[in-house]
Amino acid sequence: MGETEFYDLDDDADYAAASVYQGSASVSSSDVSNRKDSTSEIDGGGAHLVYLKDNVAIHPTQYASERITGRLKLIKQGTSLFMTWIPYKGQSSNVRVSENDRNLYTIRAVPFTEIRSIRRHTPTLGWQYVIVVLSSGLAFPPLYFYNGGVRDFLATVKKHVHLVRSAEDTNVFLVNDFQDPLQRTLSSLEIPLAVVNGPSPSFSPSGSHSTTNKEKMSETFSSNQQNGRQRQKNHDPARDLSIQVLEKFSLVTRFARETTNQIFGENSEVFGYSEKRNHNQSTHVHPNKAAKDAMVPNKIPVVPDPLEVNKLTLIWGKPRQPPLGPEEWTTFLDSEGRLVDAKALRKRIFYGGVEHSLRKEVWAFLLGYHADDSTYAEREYLVSVKKSEYETLKNQWKSISAEQAKRFTKFRERKGLIDKDVVRTDRSLSFYEGDDNPNVILLRDILLTYSFFNFDLGYCQGMSDLLSPILFVMGNESEAFWCFVSLMERLGPNFNRDQNGMHSQLFALSKLVELLDSPLHAYFEQHDCLNYFFCFRWILIQFKREFEYDKTMRLWEVLWTHYLSEHFHLYVCVAVLKKYREKIMGEQMDFDTLLKFINELSGQIDLDGILRDAEALCICAGENGAASIPPGTPPSLPIEDGSLLYQQDDDSVL
């Protein structure tokens, strides 16, 4: 049977029919307790298989023909439950999906102590699938069940871990979700809950104290947050699938260790807990000694950079130029206001950026709000027409009465999430600071209007980060909205619920690192870092939290020119990784340590130097680099019908 090429699995009748021809097996613990391979994924004795499902697939690209099929297992060892998904060997599929690609997506022995939630999707047409979300808020690629079986999967999980349905979304199941923050922490350490039944002076089971403790944890370990900006801590984990503050992931192990030491003193080793990612400790290390050791990491010899990026930069990385000024800007316009050489303008901006006073006019061209060949008169008319169109869109939600809102769940929940996000977006900036700031209200109104304009995509956390500089520059509600719409035409897939847009970019990044620094790529492979999730925040919001506000705007101008590549942001990622490769490899950073290190680079990266390095890498990679990036990878414009890229499943809330 022919397969459709475009990735729209939720509503694909052909794929629903195709599932009839796929073999499937689902077995319980009674059927598989004697299987020889039941302990192959877990080291040590006492492991047994409690669930097995064949023909469970993932889709690493937007092309459904490139799906990878494998076997899903749940394995019990002692009191711990692990999940694995291993692709079949030798399966036939599109040649572009190599064996290395299959290994990249392999899920090996993930303990449920590291899993935050499981989201179930049961579309009317197409395959059922689940999204497994880690404690960090990041997610594995969706796991598609060709012939059903999601219910059995969840039922088996519930037998072995604490699984509850989210009160906010009935399709989300929370793993080890306890009301008491201490119980949540100790659950991640696999310490029996019986030992924490008594009261603790450090934690209170009351709701008010629970919020306070979360805030204390954030204040202690999130020093690289933006300039002390006030943050609201009451996240709903069921809805935070598209973005979570990635610092959480790197803090889990450290916070859990310090919490345990605080409660149990130096006797915590008697409980035999194990930390994440193969950091099992057989003896107790005194905190003072650990701190001293951390100050002087043991470095090992590092494999040299095969490209010697510093030398490349001297050859190909051109020095930065002064920003484009008003007088020079006029030379790019004819007497009626048309751009006479759009490519030359983009090249000029790529190397120098734009003076702030010009950004409002120039950004409208870079973002596609104004056409390159438009005249002054045409642009003035467009602004007028678009303002009227914006007001019509805005009135769609402004006219919703309180009675209507009671019966409009998606509107209430989107509005609630937007209200929470805008009050913590760039509040240290004078443009947004203070109570009852009208610009914060504009930020909210634009995001709400966009959620109606693009109702399938709606609103996801991180969008406020992308809109904030645009509103700051444009200073006009309607123009900021339409510029944001243009930006989201390219970055919208970053916020798809299944995270396919993000996974395709992380996959492309892994290929570029493999091409441009094979020893570093091999290091990531040896240390279970090939998913490149430590670069998630960089890509999702385009380095918004890695640089100061003005530098972020300068970087975005460079990226929006698409002068050397529309995926230049990926080369920026490679440049940063290569800049710190010696420290990463020399100190033998594992995933948690690497993620923490990457997050702490916020505000420490030399933008001009990194742009020069990224330029040199992009030129050096040439056609091989372009071939490493699958077609349609954001921020490419959508292929053919862009609306398909934004389709969400019917039961999606946000």
Side-chain angles (χ1 to χ4, degrees):
M1 186 184 89
E3 296 176 339
T4 181
E5 277 295 300
F6 205 85
Y7 179 45
D8 182 19
L9 302 177
D10 287 353
D11 300 305
D12 194 330
D14 291 337
Y15 273 73
S19 66
V20 175
Y21 301 100
Q22 300 290 341
S24 174
S26 179
V27 291
S28 65
S29 57
S30 60
D31 300 320
V32 298
S33 58
N34 295 323
R35 292 181 66 100
K36 293 181 179 180
D37 63 346
S38 63
T39 62
S40 60
E41 312 300 333
I42 310 293
D43 294 330
H48 63 282
L49 189 63
V50 296
Y51 176 88
L52 182 149
K53 183 73 175 179
D54 280 312
N55 292 313
V56 176
I58 68 168
H59 295 258
T61 72
Q62 62 185 348
Y63 300 101
S65 60
E66 296 181 1
R67 65 183 181 270
I68 302 175
T69 307
R71 173 174 292 172
L72 179 66
K73 295 179 183 179
L74 294 176
I75 301 172
K76 189 71 177 291
Q77 182 180 37
T79 60
S80 302
L81 185 68
F82 297 82
M83 183 186 78
T84 70
W85 179 85
I86 308 296
Y88 299 135
K89 293 183 178 180
Q91 57 182 308
S92 61
S93 68
N94 193 296
V95 294
R96 284 187 288 180
V97 182
S98 67
E99 193 64 30
N100 288 336
D101 298 340
R102 300 183 196 283
N103 293 334
L104 178 65
Y105 288 96
T106 298
I107 302 173
R108 297 187 183 276
V110 176
F112 271 75
T113 54
E114 293 187 12
I115 295 176
R116 181 70 186 93
S117 64
I118 302 171
R119 182 174 180 86
R120 175 187 63 186
H121 295 258
T122 54
T124 304
L125 296 175
W127 298 320
Q128 298 178 358
Y129 64 97
V130 299
I131 297 176
V132 177
V133 183
L134 299 176
S135 300
S136 65
L138 305 180
F140 288 113
L143 295 168
Y144 287 85
F145 289 66
Y146 282 5
N147 295 91
V150 171
R151 183 187 297 271
D152 291 341
F153 171 74
L154 292 173
T156 305
V157 171
K158 189 173 183 178
K159 290 179 181 178
H160 301 282
V161 300
H162 185 70
L163 190 71
V164 295
R165 192 187 298 267
S166 169
E168 300 293 333
D169 188 336
T170 57
N171 285 315
V172 172
F173 297 85
L174 305 177
V175 179
N176 294 325
D177 184 70
F178 303 103
Q179 294 301 315
D180 188 292
L182 176 58
Q183 289 183 328
R184 287 198 298 270
T185 303
L186 296 183
S187 174
S188 69
L189 296 175
E190 300 178 2
I191 297 178
L193 294 178
V195 303
V196 295
N197 286 340
S200 168
S202 301
F203 296 87
S204 169
S206 66
S208 61
H209 290 174
S210 175
T211 301
T212 301
N213 289 323
K214 290 179 183 177
E215 292 170 351
K216 287 181 178 179
M217 181 179 72
S218 179
E219 290 170 0
T220 303
F221 300 113
S222 298
S223 60
N224 59 333
Q225 298 287 341
Q226 294 185 45
N227 301 321
R229 181 177 61 196
Q230 182 179 1
R231 293 177 178 273
Q232 187 168 343
K233 303 301 173 185
N234 294 327
H235 295 300
D236 175 9
R239 294 198 222 107
D240 291 353
L241 296 183
S242 294
I243 179 176
Q244 290 286 356
V245 181
L246 293 188
E247 289 89 336
K248 291 179 182 178
F249 194 84
S250 61
L251 302 176
V252 170
T253 301
R254 179 179 172 187
F255 176 64
R257 184 190 303 114
E258 294 188 359
T259 301
T260 307
N261 287 339
Q262 178 184 9
I263 298 171
F264 300 114
E266 297 183 0
N267 296 321
S268 58
E269 73 274 11
V270 302
F271 295 100
Y273 67 86
S274 61
E275 295 185 9
K276 292 181 180 180
R277 303 209 172 251
N278 302 322
H279 286 285
N280 299 323
Q281 302 293 329
S282 59
T283 60
H284 180 74
V285 179
H286 193 277
N288 292 336
K289 183 180 184 300
K292 182 178 180 181
D293 292 342
M295 293 174 61
V296 187
N298 294 322
K299 291 190 176 183
I300 65 170
V302 175
V303 180
D305 183 350
L307 289 181
E308 295 184 284
V309 69
N310 292 334
K311 294 181 180 179
L312 285 180
T313 300
L314 291 175
I315 299 172
W316 285 317
K318 298 180 181 179
R320 306 298 296 167
Q321 300 174 9
L324 177 71
E327 291 186 7
E328 187 180 3
W329 165 241
T330 60
T331 65
F332 287 98
L333 302 173
D334 66 15
S335 60
E336 294 184 328
R338 300 182 186 88
L339 284 179
V340 294
D341 192 341
K343 185 175 181 180
L345 173 65
R346 283 166 170 75
K347 179 179 180 180
R348 175 66 180 86
I349 296 172
F350 179 86
Y351 286 108
V354 181
E355 285 189 8
H356 186 72
S357 61
L358 279 178
R359 278 182 171 141
K360 179 176 181 178
E361 189 173 359
V362 176
W363 279 23
F365 284 98
L366 292 178
L367 289 169
Y369 176 49
H370 291 322
D372 292 346
D373 59 354
S374 63
T375 65
Y376 292 124
E378 289 170 341
R379 293 197 288 273
E380 184 177 355
Y381 175 73
L382 177 69
V383 168
S384 176
V385 171
K386 286 296 186 180
K387 181 179 180 180
S388 177
E389 187 176 344
Y390 173 74
E391 291 299 330
T392 301
L393 289 168
K394 184 176 179 180
N395 285 333
Q396 290 181 359
W397 63 266
K398 292 281 285 186
S399 62
I400 295 175
S401 66
E403 286 299 314
Q404 285 179 297
K406 291 179 181 178
R407 298 165 177 81
F408 198 166
T409 302
K410 284 190 177 182
F411 171 70
R412 293 197 315 271
E413 294 184 342
R414 285 179 177 177
K415 183 177 183 299
L417 187 56
I418 291 171
D419 285 340
K420 287 193 294 185
D421 282 353
V422 296
V423 297
R424 57 189 179 186
T425 300
D426 295 327
R427 296 307 296 276
S428 62
L429 195 70
S430 60
F431 188 77
Y432 292 111
E433 71 179 358
D435 297 332
D436 300 321
N437 187 313
N439 295 318
V440 175
I441 297 174
L442 288 181
L443 198 67
R444 181 205 66 179
D445 289 356
I446 293 173
L447 291 170
L448 265 173
T449 305
Y450 181 78
S451 74
F452 273 70
F453 174 79
N454 189 347
F455 201 81
D456 287 336
L457 183 61
Y459 174 78
C460 298
Q461 288 182 313
M463 290 183 182
S464 62
D465 280 291
L466 296 177
L467 173 60
S468 169
I470 294 177
L471 178 59
F472 174 73
V473 166
M474 304 308 292
N476 176 277
E477 184 176 2
S478 172
E479 293 180 71
F481 171 81
W482 291 112
C483 286
F484 180 67
V485 167
S486 298
L487 178 64
M488 292 302 292
E489 284 298 302
R490 295 180 179 274
L491 298 185
N494 283 12
F495 299 94
N496 278 351
R497 181 57 65 91
D498 63 7
Q499 295 187 342
N500 188 57
M502 286 300 303
H503 283 293
S504 65
Q505 290 173 87
L506 292 171
F507 177 78
L509 175 59
S510 73
K511 290 299 182 182
L512 289 177
V513 174
E514 185 176 18
L515 174 69
L516 295 168
D517 196 337
S518 55
L520 181 61
H521 180 81
Y523 174 86
F524 289 150
E525 183 175 20
Q526 294 167 5
H527 290 79
D528 273 343
C529 297
L530 272 188
N531 54 27
Y532 284 79
F533 277 165
F534 46 86
C535 299
F536 191 95
R537 186 176 72 187
W538 292 355
I539 294 174
L540 183 72
I541 52 177
Q542 303 288 282
F543 297 90
K544 168 64 162 42
R545 299 183 185 176
E546 316 315 316
F547 297 100
E548 298 172 356
Y549 208 74
D550 183 66
K551 290 182 179 179
T552 297
M553 292 188 288
R554 284 205 289 130
L555 172 61
W556 285 8
E557 291 164 353
V558 171
L559 300 181
W560 293 345
T561 63
H562 293 175
Y563 171 63
L564 289 180
S565 169
E566 60 187 3
H567 300 102
F568 192 71
H569 68 298
L570 298 179
Y571 291 96
V572 174
C573 293
V574 178
V576 176
L577 293 175
K578 287 178 75 68
K579 180 176 179 63
Y580 295 99
R581 70 188 301 278
E582 184 172 351
K583 184 176 181 64
I584 292 170
M585 300 170 69
E587 296 182 9
Q588 290 289 289
M589 294 185 184
D590 61 3
F591 182 87
D592 290 340
T593 308
L594 176 58
L595 182 55
K596 182 176 183 295
F597 171 73
I598 292 294
N599 289 336
E600 291 176 348
L601 289 178
S602 179
Q604 307 299 318
I605 303 172
D606 173 21
L607 177 60
D608 289 347
I610 287 298
L611 287 176
R612 291 188 64 185
D613 291 349
E615 177 192 2
L617 291 169
C618 185
I619 295 173
C620 180
E623 293 182 357
N624 291 329
S628 300
I629 304 173
T633 298
S636 300
L637 283 174
I639 299 175
E640 296 179 356
D641 182 5
S643 63
L644 291 177
L645 284 175
Y646 303 115
Q647 288 190 356
Q648 305 287 314
D649 47 277
D650 292 337
D651 61 356
S652 153
V653 174
L654 297 173

